[in-house]
Amino acid sequence: MPLMARRLVRPELVIDINRIAGLDAIEVLASHIRMGALVRQEQALRSSVVRECVAGLAEALAWVGNPVVRQRGTVIGNLVANTPGSELPAVAIALGAEFVVRHPDAEVTVPAAALLGVANLFGAGKGLPPEAMVTHVLWPRRPGAAGFYEVARRDGHAPVVSALVTMSNDECRVAVSGVCATGLSCPSMARIIARDFPQPPSASALAGALQDDLTGPVYGDAHSSARYRLDVAPLVSRRAAGLMALRAVA
Amino acid sequence: MSEEWHQVSMTVDDVPRRARVRARYLLSDFLREQAGAGGVHVACGHGVCGACTVAVDGIAVRACLMLAVQADGAHVQTVASLSALEGAPASGRDGLTPLQAAFREHHALQCGYCTPGLLVSTALFMSQHKAAAALPGNPSPRRAAILDHLNGHLCRCTGYANIIAAIESVLP
Amino acid sequence: MSAAPERFGQRIRRREDPVLLTGQGAYLANLIRPGMACMRVIRSTAAHARIKRIDFTPIAADPACLGTLCAADLPTGVGTLPAMDLAADSAPARQRILADGTTRFAGEPIAVVLATDAYIAEDLAERVIVEYEPLPTVMDVHTGTQSNAPLLYPEFGSNIVHQTAQRVGDPDAAFAAANTIIEEEFSFRRLIASPLETRGAVAMLEPDTGRYLVYSSTQIPQVLRAELARLTGVSLGRLRVLAPRVGGGFGCKEAIYPEEILVLLALQKFGRAVYWLEDRAESFSATVHGREEHMRVRAALDRDGVVTAVEVDCLADIGAAYSLFSNTPSAAVATLRGPYRIPHFRSRARSVVTNKTPLNVYRGAGYPQVTLAMERIMDLAAAASGLDRAEIRRRNLLQPEEFPVDRGVSYPGCGAIVYDSGNYTALLASTLEAIGYDGFGARRAQGKEDVSLGLGLSFVVEMTSGGGAEPARLRLSSNGRLQLLSGVTAIGQGTETTLAQILSDHLGVAADTIDVVAGDTDDSPDAPGTFASRGATMGGNAACQAGDAFVLEARKLAAEIRETRPEHIEWKDGMLIERGSSHQPLTLSTLVSQAGALGLAATERLDVTARFEDTPVSFASACHAAVVSIDHATGVIRVLDYAVTHDCGRIANPLLVDGQIMGGVVQGLGGCLFEALEYSDTGLPLTQSYMDYILPTAATAPRFILRHIETPSPLNPLGMKGAGEAGCSGAGAAIVNAIADALGPAIALPGGTGPFTPGVVRDILRNAEGLRNAEGLRDAHGKDAPAC
């Protein structure tokens, strides 16, 4: 909407999905939690199902925007917008989320990474044909401990760099936003954290691992340079790992 | 250039309103121009400042980020309905709700432009906070919750300290 | 039931609030009526270019287009916008109403389109073709002052359009004799006032009278009226200008803008009421900017840490043309010495035109810049002298017994700078205590592993109440109520409440029998308006003066009614009492009725106008202290605690003064940590929204400790000084000094540039010694606990 208000996008057709029944459910499946396209960020944040079944998602959601934004903004809307630096897309990639995409004649399930791993000016929707729509997101059920940390130019402003670290059955996953134009899953950093756990990981080791996990050039914009983001990301990840360790112990 | 027009109706502060509007007509403009809701203030037009916050079917919404057609059939409340949103009557010589009275008492407004949207948003926040506080294991300490809520509102005049104090004084 | 009068000094809650809290405030946008034409401005998309053509043909035949205007359509002889701070030798870099042949900044109004509604007006505006032939741009003062710089105004031969210089004593001798010399350069970023309400204007015909009514979200309706008359040829008698409820100004609505003139021109030409509402995106280039200056400062110290001389050379980036007060902020360099004695002084300020939006005053009007410069110098001087930062200030502060202090310099619009009263040593002592200065070393040591704490001080001495005499009219209504017609335009600072409170106290009448109106040139045709923190002081003194004149008339009228002499009538607490008589005292209501019974019109007699003549301005002062934390890993700075001891003379309403201080501090904090306007290489503004221009929020506000000292001004009967700006002026300085303190003496700060973003802080840390520790690599052996 802000892009439309400033005349930067001019869609010929705007379809409001807010009244489609049944899309606002958070459902527990055998190995996944399924959220419809109308599940609001605030709804997901407050959901005990989310908290219990998907380590890290609630921790990340708490940092998205502010309560008013979260009450109206949807989880899938945020994911598909795929704004550089946005918290959730990296989380979806790192946690192995999948999108259910409805085409006129078929319904397919694709890894979120397939759509979110490509940088597009106006969102991941560019990776889909215009008549397709993401109707659900599937989060693998993986309870455990999680820690999230974020740096912004100012509290509540657009996130610059954020990191999520989860530990579930000794498996560590790391999501980093704001270092590349698209969110990163960071298996090399996860290995370092798991190796040192429960001791805090070494920042220099994390910095080295991050280099291995990059999927493209480091992102920079008017808010924060690429150098800052690369510089700060290991330290932000280290803090997230520390928060995860506290929860794991508790 | 052609564009579609839509018949839209909604209740605004308990008064039914109807109009034929462009598809791209913003809810903020509908409320101000068709419903006479002069307390909806447009300060940024891109959903950052919160001055245009209203309640749509009980949820806080930035009116500048919604099309009027999306609110077709909805129950919209502006600051004029603050008493209902707050769940407390307006009283006293000036007819202020407890939240409004607290704002006045604490000098939580100067030019007043950000105030109506802030009041609507705060009233809704207060009822959610009360509900959340009743749940076991409530995560948010009060001040942190207030600051998180206020992240959605810009004020250029007051420096915020009095706004925080006013809200703290009415939040149990 | 008559309430007791309000008292000067009480924390009276505001009478404005119920209307504002219930959403009934009538701001400019609330005045728009169906049937008014919407005016949309077509703005330059080039920083510097010849305008080859403006082509309206794509929309000329569109029935939704109600009219267009470009420079060629303006009446011949329509002048340029006013500038009130020029010297005889200033180059006439005046702003046109619409760009004529050349555009000199991106965002400059080129043409306007009128349509039936705002959506259509924007559609139409987009279809108008403007062809540009780019010219080389000047985007900074250094480029602009090179010998081969492109010239914005070739006829001037230079981009330097104005300069002032001042000298006190013999600075050269002082520098020659100095024990230590400190030199520093400071660059101040371009910032904006950004009130939450953007600008707007409406022009319409007044029913019945046929006069032109112009509404504008402005701080200066009277000045606007005079300028509308001058620029459009409409006589003053046919012009009424009103400021409705204004949603903040901070100096950016203290200017005369093209749009305000254009709505009236459009009404004259097309015969229908016109409105213009600025949208936020356009405001970033359509509304004046503030602060941008570059300074070099030198200070001479003797062996005892006494600053014997200071000199400053300032280049101000004033944008493409004068606004109303473009030269005033840099003229504040004359006041660089602030509260310090510093007997020898030299200043020079030069205004340089560049291809950017015009610059104007913005809260503090140059004082934030000079305060930061002087206070950084004091901290550097402390370090160079081996003195404590509070001690070096003590050694240099003017002492209470020295007042009044003629500083030997002058300032436009107020003449000679003479500090009327103050007690700076008391301010310092109070603030040091409030912030916990003595115990700070212990607090710093308790800090977390990679978060360092710092404490910074600053001092502000600020001119207030400049701008000329203040009128006030006080009259009696037939129902016995008092009506005060004030020239102090309300922009959110609570003048209605303050003036009613002052008058209530002065006359001894209940405040709720007093109505205050302002902002209407019919009521107050020749007031200066609201700026320079003058409203409460000048408005309050004028109200009391009018009150005294009113009482005189009331006693005369009562004397006639009682058939006695005025000397036998006493005014007490709103009643007229005949001495030595058993008659009932007259209230204002009974005065009206009894006068009426005798054929005397009380409301005509009791209608007085007073004019509080401008005596030399008064000087408010404040000592600020900030405690900040710096997270070395992320570069994030937080302002934790903020103490201000403020002296604005006698305080009418401390509740409102505290609000002004806190609001000002947070504005200064924003400019220091978050806010900046950015331009592309080709001179196009990159800052287009609040996602780009980052304002402070509640989470960034510090814990405040506010204190007051009152050294009354001897220059006005109420002893007041202004309070609107000293909060803002001191904040950047205190915070930057705190940042320097947190980083430690080994790290040099870039000269006063803002904002101190996390990226800037990380760059500073990276460039400094001991960087390895800051990055936390000391934890290689897993010794450190993670910091949360």
Side-chain angles (χ1 to χ4, degrees), chain A residues 131-147:
Chain A
E131 60 279 1
M133 181 179 133
V134 175
T135 58
H136 297 83
V137 57
L138 297 162
W139 302 94
R141 288 178 65 169
R142 206 177 285 121

Side-chain angles (χ1 to χ4, degrees), chain C residues 326-661:
Chain C
S326 295
N327 301 315
T328 300
S330 57
V333 290
T335 69
L336 176 70
R337 294 171 294 164
Y340 306 112
R341 191 172 300 101
I342 309 179
H344 305 282
F345 173 73
R346 177 162 45 223
S347 71
R348 178 171 73 156
R350 292 174 293 170
S351 299
V352 182
V353 288
T354 62
N355 293 117
K356 299 176 191 166
T357 300
L359 189 93
N360 200 43
V361 289
Y362 163 34
R363 200 171 196 175
Y367 278 83
Q369 296 92 294
V370 298
T371 302
L372 193 148
M374 189 71 240
E375 294 299 316
R376 280 301 298 140
I377 294 284
M378 293 309 282
D379 272 15
L380 293 169
S385 311
L387 287 173
D388 170 76
R389 296 172 294 160
E391 176 58 27
I392 197 169
R393 285 171 169 85
R394 258 180 234 117
R395 293 189 186 190
N396 284 278
L397 286 175
L398 291 163
Q399 296 299 313
E401 56 272 13
E402 295 178 64
F403 286 86
V405 186
D406 185 338
R407 300 299 271 162
V409 294
S410 65
Y411 186 75
C414 93
I417 295 185
V418 177
Y419 292 172
D420 51 332
S421 65
N423 188 338
Y424 305 147
T425 42
L427 288 178
L428 178 63
S430 164
T431 293
L432 293 177
E433 201 251 321
I435 202 69
Y437 187 80
D438 289 340
F440 190 70
R443 183 176 174 186
R444 195 205 300 273
Q446 282 163 16
K448 289 200 218 139
E449 194 70 61
D450 52 357
V451 175
S452 51
L453 298 181
L455 189 158
L457 300 171
S458 77
F459 246 103
V460 189
V461 177
E462 182 131 25
M463 183 211 83
T464 67
S465 300
E470 182 70 38
R473 182 175 170 192
L474 186 60
R475 62 185 183 194
L476 182 65
S477 309
S478 51
N479 57 7
R481 296 180 64 77
L482 289 171
Q483 194 185 46
L484 176 68
L485 291 79
S486 172
V488 180
T489 312
I491 57 173
Q493 74 278 52
T495 16
E496 262 180 84
T497 298
T498 305
L499 295 182
Q501 182 182 356
I502 291 174
L503 196 58
S504 168
D505 176 287
H506 190 70
L507 295 178
V509 302
D512 62 10
T513 62
I514 304 172
D515 300 313
V516 179
V517 296
D520 186 339
T521 58
D522 271 4
D523 295 332
S524 197
D526 62 356
T530 292
F531 49 86
S533 303
R534 57 178 283 128
T537 302
M538 299 302 280
N541 277 286
C544 290
Q545 199 172 308
D548 292 342
F550 181 93
V551 164
L552 211 58
E553 288 304 313
R555 287 170 55 218
K556 281 191 208 156
L557 185 59
E560 281 176 52
I561 291 168
R562 288 283 157 81
E563 293 179 328
T564 179
R565 300 159 64 82
E567 302 85 82
H568 296 157
I569 304 286
E570 192 186 317
W571 169 279
K572 186 171 161 52
D573 294 343
M575 291 192 293
L576 296 140
I577 303 166
E578 190 182 354
R579 265 193 276 261
S581 152
S582 57
H583 282 146
Q584 282 279 48
L586 288 166
T587 66
L588 290 174
S589 300
T590 53
L591 184 72
V592 172
S593 51
Q594 292 198 17
L598 295 173
L600 301 165
T603 55
E604 278 172 32
R605 296 268 300 264
L606 272 61
D607 182 348
V608 299
T609 299
R611 194 169 176 76
F612 182 66
E613 304 292 351
D614 186 36
T615 47
V617 297
S618 57
F619 287 82
S621 52
C623 181
H624 296 227
V627 172
V628 305
S629 70
I630 302 184
D631 182 326
H632 285 241
T634 62
V636 170
I637 298 176
R638 292 187 195 284
V639 184
L640 303 177
D641 299 329
Y642 203 97
V644 182
T645 309
H646 193 269
D647 179 0
C648 56
R650 292 184 67 231
I651 299 174
N653 188 324
L655 179 69
L656 305 192
V657 168
D658 284 349
Q660 291 298 307
I661 295 169

